[in-house]
Amino acid sequence: MLKNMSSITNNGTKIEDSDASDAEISSSASYDSLDSDEHDERTSRDRASIALPAHVAGSGALDRLIDTARDYAEASTAENTNKAYSADWKNFTRWCRLKGTDPLPPSPEMVGLYVADLAAATGKAPALSVSTIERRLSGLAWNYRQRGFTLDRKDRHIATVLAGIKRKHARPPVQKEAILPDDIQAMVATLPYDLRGLRDRAILLLGYAGGLRRSEIVSLDVHKDDTPDSGGWMEIFEGGVLLTLNAKTGWREVEVGRGSSDQTCPVHALEQWLHFAKIDFGPVFVRTSRDGKHALETRLSDKHVARLIKATVLKSDVRSDLPEAKRLAMFSGHSLRAGLASSAEVDERYVQKQLGHASAEMTRRYQRRRDRFRVNLTKAAGL
């Protein structure tokens, strides 16, 4: 099915088979690597962020507690967030080195200049969007906190520069296209009924009906506490499957009911995958052998979900009226969540609960054009 398949994306890279290497290029991957001395320095600073007070003598028991505390501190933010923040710091420290300054202690003046450089980049480096710059600032603030410093983002050298960037460069957010019911049915129809196809069908249907993030899909285990890196577990009942997820907003339960037919039922697809893959413990969604006949023990990366969506969008001719590169850019893992929010004809509060949103306003951001002009305030005002 998707094996050996590759397609050109909008930035010239390829969509490769999702069971290939997990070496991933992040949005910050163009940064030059730090030399070994800098890497060791950064690592030592990270490790020193949690340590014994200077007046307390160390011991074996206390050292073990320090390691435990550091593990908990690392788990305080999502793995992808940690990677992004690490890349943010690496980029900033490299910029400081090239400008002949030191990143520590924090200097609002230098951070303001750094932000200006990101927005009005020269040479080969592209100018970054406002949202990316704000994310970079969040990454810097987080990194400074880990090193015992505080970056005051409200300092005029930072705040006024950022305000000017917003006025000059801000654009409406670009939202990913929602996958609608006809789309998801066409996408799963492109998948074969071999082991890999059964797995990918379950991923798409469960992600769509559950309104799940791609990280939530691949972090599922069969049972509670099956693996240390579990993000939740499942329980299959006659009426559907109950997912217990450790999400961004805390633990939540997601009910996924059975569909109207086996071809589109997410629970049936899940049961088929678990049965033929002989999975009864550990990660629900794992890699398969190269011949596609055996399930392996390795948990899938969340990148697999995004690649799978893009690949099946192309094969199913969803939005085939558009150029291939644009179609690839329109859809991502968020398209599954947006699809549920835009298509489920139920009271909004049920969609909000399914998506795990704290507010109805956040849920409405996922609803692509669904509620436009449903409430006509012009007529309500007497015109």
Side-chain angles (χ1 to χ4, degrees):
M1 42 169 273
L2 299 179
K3 188 174 182 180
N4 299 325
M5 172 187 172
S6 64
S7 301
I8 304 299
T9 67
N10 59 316
N11 61 1
T13 58
K14 291 183 177 181
I15 301 174
E16 299 292 350
D17 170 32
S18 48
D19 283 329
S21 168
D22 260 6
E24 298 157 359
I25 302 176
S26 72
S27 60
S28 305
S30 58
Y31 306 157
D32 293 345
S33 299
L34 295 175
D35 58 40
S36 59
D37 291 339
E38 284 183 304
H39 177 77
D40 292 341
E41 180 186 8
R42 186 185 68 183
T43 302
S44 66
R45 286 172 177 167
D46 290 343
R47 301 295 291 172
S49 63
I50 294 180
L52 284 173
H55 64 277
V56 176
S59 67
L62 286 176
D63 288 342
R64 285 192 295 273
L65 281 176
I66 291 173
D67 290 336
T68 301
R70 285 171 176 161
D71 290 339
Y72 280 129
E74 185 176 347
S76 65
T77 51
E79 181 181 356
N80 286 342
T81 303
N82 288 332
K83 289 179 180 178
Y85 285 171
S86 176
D88 293 338
W89 184 251
K90 181 167 68 173
N91 179 264
F92 178 63
T93 55
R94 177 178 178 270
W95 183 89
C96 288
R97 186 174 72 251
L98 293 175
K99 304 303 180 186
T101 186
D102 195 284
L104 295 172
S107 165
E109 294 86 352
M110 292 307 299
V111 173
L113 294 178
Y114 171 67
V115 167
D117 199 13
L118 295 179
T122 57
K124 295 182 179 180
L128 300 184
S129 67
V130 173
S131 60
T132 302
I133 292 173
E134 289 185 314
R135 211 293 315 284
R136 290 276 183 93
L137 279 174
S138 297
L140 292 186
W142 184 88
N143 275 282
Y144 276 123
R145 286 198 299 273
Q146 306 314 302
R147 290 159 175 80
F149 297 97
T150 299
L151 177 64
D152 183 8
R153 294 179 57 176
K154 295 182 179 180
D155 184 282
R156 63 185 180 87
H157 294 94
I158 300 174
T160 55
V161 171
L162 185 60
I165 292 171
K166 288 181 177 180
R167 285 182 61 86
K168 190 171 183 179
H169 299 298
R171 298 184 300 272
V174 178
Q175 293 182 317
K176 295 299 182 180
E177 193 79 4
I179 292 174
L180 302 179
D182 289 344
D183 299 333
I184 192 69
Q185 292 181 38
M187 290 163 64
V188 298
T190 67
L191 298 172
Y193 284 88
D194 61 5
L195 198 58
R196 196 173 297 156
L198 292 176
R199 178 199 66 193
D200 290 343
R201 183 175 285 100
I203 287 175
L204 289 178
L205 291 175
L206 189 67
Y208 182 83
L212 305 179
R213 300 176 178 89
R214 63 188 192 185
S215 59
E216 293 172 342
I217 298 172
V218 300
S219 66
L220 277 172
D221 278 1
V222 177
H223 309 105
K224 182 180 179 181
D225 299 328
D226 274 358
T227 64
D229 61 339
S230 170
W233 67 92
M234 62 173 205
E235 297 173 84
I236 297 179
F237 300 95
E238 182 178 350
V241 60
L242 177 65
L243 308 178
T244 303
L245 304 173
N246 186 9
K248 289 183 177 180
T249 54
W251 288 98
R252 82 177 198 274
E253 291 184 343
V254 173
E255 299 176 4
V256 180
R258 294 186 182 271
S260 55
S261 70
D262 287 348
Q263 287 70 32
T264 60
C265 176
V267 185
H268 178 75
L270 178 63
E271 290 172 328
Q272 291 288 99
W273 157 245
L274 294 174
H275 172 73
F276 287 103
K278 300 178 182 178
I279 294 176
D280 57 9
F281 182 86
V284 171
F285 295 113
V286 296
R287 293 171 179 258
T288 60
S289 59
R290 290 188 177 276
D291 60 10
K293 295 181 179 180
H294 305 284
L296 306 178
E297 295 182 356
T298 309
R299 187 188 303 274
L300 281 176
S301 160
D302 64 343
K303 300 295 183 183
H304 172 84
V305 180
R307 290 192 293 258
L308 173 62
I309 289 171
K310 291 178 182 292
T312 50
V313 161
L314 288 182
K315 293 182 69 176
S316 62
D317 291 333
V318 172
R319 296 304 307 271
S320 58
D321 55 308
L322 298 174
E324 181 177 296
K326 187 168 184 178
R327 292 165 63 202
L328 288 171
M330 289 171 62
F331 295 94
S332 72
H334 260 67
S335 297
L336 294 176
R337 285 166 64 78
L340 176 75
S342 302
S343 305
E345 296 295 336
V346 295
D347 191 293
E348 190 177 74
R349 68 179 185 272
Y350 295 113
V351 178
Q352 179 183 339
K353 180 178 182 294
Q354 190 82 337
L355 298 182
H357 288 155
S359 67
E361 178 59 33
M362 177 58 71
T363 302
R364 294 187 190 108
R365 295 182 188 179
Y366 282 75
Q367 296 173 330
R368 306 296 191 258
R369 299 181 298 275
R370 177 181 171 187
D371 291 325
R372 284 183 180 171
F373 308 115
R374 183 172 61 88
V375 176
N376 190 327
L377 293 180
T378 305
K379 292 182 177 178
L383 298 179

